[in-house]
Amino acid sequence: MDFSEKVEFDDLQNRLMHTEVLQSPAELHGLVSGMLCCRPELETERLLADLWIQLDLDPVELHEIDGILRLLFDSVRHALNDSDFIFYPLLPSDEEDLSWRTECLGGWCQGFLSGYGLGTDPDRGPLDDETGEILKNFYEFTKISSVYDDEDIEELEADYFELVEFLKVTVIHLFLDETE
């Protein structure tokens, strides 16, 4: 696999547009990220099987998006394992409207929580306090408002950037905790 081939938001959105997948690219990336954070040892085939159940698609639909989902899993896994910490949530570009990016950030967090729940080993004990707090924060981010006053746009842009950085750092932290 050529890991320089990165999944881009717009490409994933275009591929999903002609399918029955209800999740946005951000939510789907969050779902994959959450699954990998709690079960990094699982092979892509097993994770894909769990994802296919979650997406509830017919075999024809699955065949159409199988390649991009494999690429998504492999690129997220590579980014999470990279020693340069290259992982970032898949969100629209900074040139897009802030309200759209904010909505996608909330969707990414929703996807992450779903993926983390889906990927969690049923035999795993209770979450430690730190992980529980991180997941609570992610839950709060699912409620983020994409309605804002234009007068505060610079401050809101800065807040958005901080949230994205927080997601990056905490996801890498969760992943590294599971791989230790």
Side-chain angles (χ1 to χ4, degrees):
M1 154 109 214
D2 177 12
F3 291 113
S4 64
E5 188 176 359
K6 182 180 169 198
V7 177
E8 298 291 337
F9 186 91
D10 290 338
D11 183 43
L12 185 54
Q13 185 171 2
N14 288 337
R15 291 184 186 211
L16 294 176
M17 192 179 313
H18 305 291
T19 70
E20 293 181 21
V21 175
L22 301 177
Q23 290 82 358
S24 72
E27 190 174 351
L28 194 56
H29 186 268
L31 186 70
V32 167
S33 301
M35 291 174 77
L36 285 169
C37 275
C38 60
R39 302 289 295 280
E41 77 284 356
L42 288 182
E43 294 297 319
T44 299
E45 292 302 318
R46 170 63 195 277
L47 292 167
L48 277 169
D50 290 346
L51 181 62
W52 292 332
I53 292 167
Q54 179 75 12
L55 295 177
D56 192 31
L57 298 175
D58 66 55
V60 172
E61 292 283 335
L62 288 174
H63 179 72
E64 289 178 12
I65 63 168
D66 181 71
I68 190 71
L69 291 177
R70 287 176 188 282
L71 177 60
L72 185 60
F73 268 109
D74 291 342
S75 66
V76 171
R77 186 186 307 271
H78 173 72
L80 286 169
N81 278 301
D82 191 276
S83 61
D84 290 329
F85 306 113
I86 63 172
F87 174 84
Y88 268 97
L90 184 64
L91 298 167
S93 75
D94 292 341
E95 287 77 40
E96 296 289 338
D97 184 65
L98 180 60
S99 62
W100 170 237
R101 289 183 284 139
T102 303
E103 182 180 324
C104 288
L105 185 140
W108 189 93
C109 290
Q110 180 63 52
F112 185 90
L113 292 171
S114 296
Y116 199 88
L118 181 65
T120 298
D121 185 345
D123 297 329
R124 179 186 184 146
L127 297 175
D128 62 68
D129 291 342
E130 185 178 21
T131 300
E133 190 64 32
I134 289 170
L135 296 178
K136 284 180 191 173
N137 285 330
F138 281 27
Y139 173 72
E140 291 302 318
F141 296 158
T142 66
K143 303 182 217 175
I144 196 166
S145 174
S146 60
V147 178
Y148 56 87
D149 184 357
D150 286 335
E151 295 173 20
D152 300 332
I153 192 73
E154 287 182 26
E155 185 178 327
L156 291 170
E157 286 281 355
D159 291 345
Y160 173 83
F161 177 75
E162 285 181 32
L163 286 175
V164 172
E165 287 298 313
F166 175 81
L167 293 176
K168 171 191 174 163
V169 170
T170 54
V171 167
I172 291 171
H173 174 75
L174 289 171
F175 180 79
L176 292 175
D177 274 358
E178 278 301 313
T179 57
E180 292 178 344

